[in-house]
């Protein structure tokens, strides 16, 4: 039986997202964010804010218009 690998400190996160403007899906994509696993475990809401902000920056929209569909630890 195989043993799961431990996440390296400083690995990161991957998110799949959609961008909605006025109720309409206008964009979608994926984004990665490098951060220490321990830091994300201490502040999961901050991790979500950072992922949404990074996706919003890519599309020039407000972070409130970004819907994270899935988030994975790398």
């Amino acid at each position: 039986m195989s043993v799961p690998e431990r996440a390296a400190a400083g690995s990161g996160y991957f998110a799949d997202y959609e961008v909605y403007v006025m109720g309409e899906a206008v964009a979608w994509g994926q984004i990665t964010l490098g951060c220490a696993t321990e830091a994300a475990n201490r502040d999961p809401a901050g991790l979500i804010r950072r992922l949404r902000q990074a996706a919003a920056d890519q599309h020039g929209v407000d972070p409130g218009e970004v819907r994270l569909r899935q988030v994975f630890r790398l």
Side-chain angles (χ1 to χ4, degrees):
M1 178 179 351
S2 64
V3 177
E5 295 180 22
R6 290 184 174 238
S11 54
Y13 290 83
F14 168 87
D16 180 47
Y17 65 87
E18 296 174 328
V19 177
Y20 283 85
V21 176
M22 298 186 65
E24 296 288 325
V26 297
W28 57 90
Q30 297 83 33
I31 195 158
T32 58
L33 179 66
C35 69
T37 304
E38 295 80 22
N41 287 338
R42 284 191 300 267
D43 186 19
L47 170 67
I48 297 302
R49 279 192 303 274
R50 290 178 57 200
L51 285 165
R52 290 176 76 195
Q53 183 64 58
D57 291 346
Q58 284 191 2
H59 295 281
V61 298
D62 184 81
E65 296 174 322
V66 175
R67 176 181 169 252
L68 296 178
R69 294 170 21 111
Q70 298 178 2
V71 176
F72 298 95
R73 184 173 54 201
L74 299 175

